[in-house]
Amino acid sequence: MKWNLRLVAAQRDIWKSSQLQSMLADAGLTISAGKMSSLWSGQPVTVRLDDLDVICEVLGCQPNDLLAPEPEKARARRPASTPALAAVAGERPRIERRAGRTEPPL
């Protein structure tokens, strides 16, 4: 997901993170400087839904204004085809035989 907080804030003439931080505090959401920096300048790892409600209320936006899906990134994270998946797709899995016997358990 792409995080568009700065773009949405800029569309509402909010240009500094401290300005938004103050507006959020007035709405009852106190955010530390470190967390505000993460929200403002990067891709936060997590955003609490309660916090997202307040951010959207303050900015007058919807969650889909702040979060944009990036399906190509999701596709890039998929593992390469495995024999089990290939079998499902109609291909025959390759079976490898090991030479020799294994040792008995001790």
Side-chain angles (χ1 to χ4, degrees):
M1 297 296 272
K2 183 173 182 179
W3 180 244
N4 293 317
L5 178 65
R6 288 181 82 168
L7 176 65
V8 173
Q11 291 170 342
R12 285 137 181 95
D13 291 325
I14 300 169
W15 302 102
K16 294 182 178 182
S17 64
S18 59
Q19 183 182 1
L20 179 59
Q21 188 175 14
S22 175
M23 293 171 73
L24 293 171
D26 291 343
L29 177 60
T30 304
I31 296 180
S32 69
K35 184 173 179 181
M36 190 66 210
S37 176
S38 172
L39 290 172
W40 187 257
S41 62
Q43 292 287 110
V45 176
T46 60
V47 178
R48 291 185 52 204
L49 295 177
D50 293 342
D51 295 352
L52 189 60
D53 273 338
V54 176
I55 292 168
C56 287
E57 179 67 28
V58 167
L59 293 176
C61 67
Q62 298 295 315
N64 62 339
D65 297 329
L66 295 171
L67 296 166
E70 294 180 304
E72 63 281 353
K73 285 189 177 180
R75 277 188 229 106
R77 292 182 64 173
R78 286 188 189 152
S81 180
T82 61
L85 293 177
V88 172
E91 299 175 13
R92 294 191 61 148
R94 187 177 62 161
I95 299 173
E96 296 179 16
R97 300 204 184 259
R98 295 182 182 161
R101 296 185 78 181
T102 60
E103 294 291 321
L106 298 176

